[in-house]
């Protein structure tokens, strides 16, 4: 079973700080790496995504850093706000695999005011 | 609001029973995906339908089945339910069949098997 390992399991950051969530994958056959944000009682929502031929993608306060050789990617949330408190999932998608999308185990982020 | 609707919101049933979960995709979306989210297994892809046809299968048990109807709504049928089937079930919809199409998730159905 292809795996995506996500850390930390939970994270507390002060308002205005930088939140960093890390993911590592085992198989090089993945084609697309999205991050999802999930608030309690809601379904996940796509936050930002990156392809493996790009090392960094930035959208507002959210940045994905991608290290293909290390098979690692991370989400950075700059100037973290209380409204960012949610669970974040990384994922890896293989266009050719029947299992399609593999999710990390999730990180519960709490931003302290 | 993602535009994806799921019913019911909560479902409580007993082991051995059968239930049907319903999903209506966003207007214009042809793909429907089903996911299971549980504490021990995390978020797992179950199955995808595109314009009425099964497109991809993930970790879906043989006791589970799904279909997509001509009006594009989809149903996930869970039978011979076990305690371990208790979970949140999400559907998501997307415009196309491709895996890089953004998926919009519904609010989920929380299934409790007693």
């Amino acid at each position: 079973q292809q795996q995506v390992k996500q850390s930390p399991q939970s994270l507390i950051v002060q308002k205005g700080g930088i939140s960093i969530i890390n993911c590592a994958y085992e198989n090089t056959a993945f084609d697309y790496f999205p991050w999802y944000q999930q608030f309690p009682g809601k379904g996940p929502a796509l936050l930002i995504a990156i392809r493996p031929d790009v090392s960094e993608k930035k959208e507002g306060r959210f940045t994905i850093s991608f290290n293909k050789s290390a098979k690692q990617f991370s989400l950075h949330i700059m100037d973290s706000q209380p409204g960012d408190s949610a669970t974040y999932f990384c994922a890896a998608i293989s266009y050719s695999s029947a299992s399609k999308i593999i999710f990390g185990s999730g990180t519960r982020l709490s931003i302290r005011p | 609001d993602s535009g994806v609707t799921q019913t019911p919101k909560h479902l409580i049933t007993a082991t051995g029973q059968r239930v049907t979960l319903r999903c209506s995709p966003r207007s214009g979306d042809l793909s429907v995906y089903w996911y299971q989210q549980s504490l021990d297994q995390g978020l797992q892809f179950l199955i995808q339908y595109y314009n009425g046809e099964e497109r991809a299968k993930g970790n879906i048990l043989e006791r589970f089945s799904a279909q997509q109807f001509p009006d594009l709504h989809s149903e996930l049928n869970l039978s011979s339910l076990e305690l371990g089937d208790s979970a949140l079930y999400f559907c998501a919809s997307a415009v196309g069949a491709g895996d890089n199409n953004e998926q919009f998730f519904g609010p989920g159905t929380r299934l409790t098997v007693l």
Side-chain angles (χ1 to χ4, degrees):
Chain A
Q1 168 89 14
Q2 298 174 357
Q3 281 194 327
V4 176
K5 295 181 180 178
Q6 184 172 345
S7 63
Q9 191 173 15
S10 62
L11 181 61
I12 299 174
V13 175
Q14 288 293 126
K15 179 182 174 183
I18 303 173
S19 304
I20 302 174
I21 303 171
N22 300 298
C23 284
Y25 59 98
E26 298 179 344
N27 192 302
T28 56
F30 292 121
D31 304 294
Y32 192 60
F33 298 86
W35 284 88
Y36 288 87
Q37 180 188 55
Q38 184 177 23
F39 293 105
K42 304 286 187 183
L46 179 66
L47 188 63
I48 187 172
I50 197 168
R51 298 187 188 283
D53 55 348
V54 176
S55 61
E56 185 176 282
K57 183 173 182 180
K58 184 175 180 179
E59 290 183 2
R61 295 184 295 108
F62 301 92
T63 300
I64 300 178
S65 297
F66 189 86
N67 186 330
K68 191 172 182 178
S69 60
K71 290 186 273 186
Q72 295 175 346
F73 59 110
S74 59
L75 176 69
H76 295 235
I77 305 175
M78 312 300 287
D79 187 27
S80 299
Q81 299 297 312
D84 298 330
S85 297
T87 299
Y88 292 81
F89 294 92
C90 63
I93 295 176
S94 171
Y95 296 153
S96 60
S97 168
S99 53
K100 303 299 270 188
I101 182 168
I102 308 292
F103 289 92
S105 54
T107 296
R108 183 172 291 184
L109 175 64
S110 296
I111 307 300
R112 285 193 173 154
Chain B
D1 184 2
S2 67
V4 178
T5 60
Q6 289 186 248
T7 57
K9 194 170 183 178
H10 300 279
L11 196 49
I12 301 175
T13 188
T15 55
Q17 295 299 304
R18 173 189 170 95
V19 296
T20 298
L21 313 184
R22 183 187 168 102
C23 170
S24 293
R26 294 188 322 153
S27 176
D29 285 358
L30 299 180
S31 268
V32 170
Y33 300 77
W34 285 98
Y35 295 90
Q36 180 194 59
Q37 186 175 37
S38 63
L39 284 175
D40 56 345
Q41 296 289 328
L43 195 56
Q44 290 195 93
F45 164 69
L46 295 179
I47 196 165
Q48 177 198 3
Y49 278 81
Y50 175 74
N51 204 20
E53 300 290 327
E54 182 183 305
R55 179 82 177 185
K57 238 177 186 179
N59 298 321
I60 188 165
L61 300 173
E62 285 190 12
R63 299 183 286 108
F64 296 0
S65 64
Q67 54 185 327
Q68 186 179 27
F69 295 87
D71 67 352
L72 300 176
H73 91 272
S74 179
E75 293 181 354
L76 179 67
N77 301 296
L78 315 175
S79 62
S80 302
L81 284 168
E82 301 176 0
L83 295 178
D85 298 327
S86 295
L88 267 169
Y89 291 85
F90 290 103
C91 81
S93 73
V95 170
D99 300 304
N100 59 344
N101 283 291
E102 181 175 355
Q103 296 180 31
F104 294 85
F105 282 74
T109 292
R110 182 174 293 279
L111 173 66
T112 302
V113 182
L114 300 176

